Amino acid sequence: MIDQHRTETVTGSAHFAFTDRWGGVSAAPYGELNLGGAVGDDPAAVGANRERAARDLGIDPALVVWMNQVHGRDVAVVDGPWGADAEIPAVDAVVTARRGLPLAVLTADCTPVLLADPVAGVVGAAHAGRPGLVAGVVPAAVEAMIALGAHPSRITAHTGPAVCGRCYEVPEAMRAEVAEAVPGTWSETSWGTPAVDVTGGVHAQLAVLGVTDRHRSPVCTRESGDHFSYRRDRTTGRLAGYVWLDG
Ligand SMILES: [Zn+2]
């Protein structure tokens, strides 16, 4: 089928893409385009989906750098894909100075963050759920990009589909704790209870770092039937965000 929901933005030589759940081969509850390898889906289906998503974007599926995401703040600096037998490190951000190397982040409610400085030739991808946001994974990713020659004023940032601040309910004490650690996160659900706006926090952190060219997907995963949502469905697939520079 034609993928009508995938979004890809191109800024100069930089590509930012986010998948939705359609256009793959996975069966329920992972249907259709589950790209996560650790959620209980058939590995053959995940492989076929990753191949399909990459071909659709015009990138080589064998080059895509995936992470073993653990809600921390560690960053891996890479210059090529992991080897076939390599153990993928437990990190929540990955950066590279190699043009043409696509970096990928998996999510289902957490905020996927894609970053690129096309002038320096440096890109980064980060996985920011509430714990990673508070731990500072996004600033850590930007710092790692700066170490590779990027400058915040040249970085374009895209945050993808994620659970919104009107849907992410948390206990009152947790809202206060997160708001104290990260500005821009204090929120309330549409039904009037305490909530956290993780994407709002990501943008606040990026603003402090001097990243002004920021774009926020309007899609809330919990409210969209076209996207995987852990909060809504618990057992479900994972969306992917991809960032790369023309090689
Ligand atoms: Zn929402």
Side-chain angles (χ1 to χ4, degrees):
M1 71 178 272
I2 296 170
D3 186 346
Q4 300 171 310
H5 303 282
R6 192 193 75 217
T7 58
E8 181 180 359
T9 308
V10 182
T11 304
S13 62
H15 298 251
F16 308 86
F18 297 103
T19 61
D20 65 16
R21 69 181 301 164
W22 306 122
V25 301
S26 289
Y30 308 104
E32 301 168 344
L33 192 69
N34 167 44
L35 297 164
V39 294
D41 193 5
D42 173 10
V46 176
N49 288 340
R50 287 183 173 189
E51 174 106 13
R52 186 177 292 212
R55 300 271 180 227
D56 218 28
L57 293 167
I59 56 181
D60 180 351
L63 281 184
V64 178
V65 180
W66 301 95
M67 295 179 266
N68 173 15
Q69 301 168 187
V70 293
H71 291 285
R73 60 155 285 152
D74 288 344
V75 185
V77 179
V78 299
D79 56 12
W82 311 117
D85 300 321
E87 189 176 334
I88 298 179
V91 296
D92 290 89
V94 62
V95 302
T96 188
R98 183 175 152 198
R99 292 178 190 271
L101 186 69
L103 310 179
V105 50
L106 294 164
T107 58
D109 288 344
C110 289
T111 303
V113 187
L114 304 179
L115 306 158
D117 174 348
V119 175
V122 177
V123 299
H127 163 247
R130 179 182 44 78
L133 174 79
V134 172
V137 68
V138 176
V142 172
E143 294 300 335
M145 289 177 68
I146 291 170
L148 293 175
H151 193 281
S153 67
R154 292 191 305 245
I155 293 177
T156 295
H158 285 262
T159 55
V163 64
C164 81
R166 302 286 284 166
C167 286
Y168 190 176
E169 183 177 52
V170 296
E172 179 101 52
M174 183 178 284
R175 172 172 70 177
E177 188 185 313
V178 175
E180 188 170 315
V182 186
T185 57
W186 195 98
S187 191
E188 189 172 280
T189 60
S190 54
W191 53 97
T193 58
V196 167
D197 179 355
V198 172
T199 300
V202 168
H203 281 263
Q205 289 179 328
L206 289 170
V208 166
L209 290 163
V211 178
T212 55
D213 185 21
R214 303 189 312 273
H215 309 267
R216 179 175 183 164
S217 166
V219 174
C220 168
T221 45
R222 186 176 171 277
E223 296 172 75
S224 167
D226 296 323
H227 295 77
F228 297 119
S229 170
Y230 175 77
R231 284 219 148 208
R232 182 186 62 220
D233 301 327
R234 295 295 159 178
T235 302
T236 189
R238 293 293 179 272
L239 310 162
Y242 301 84
V243 61
W244 73 98
L245 298 173
D246 290 329

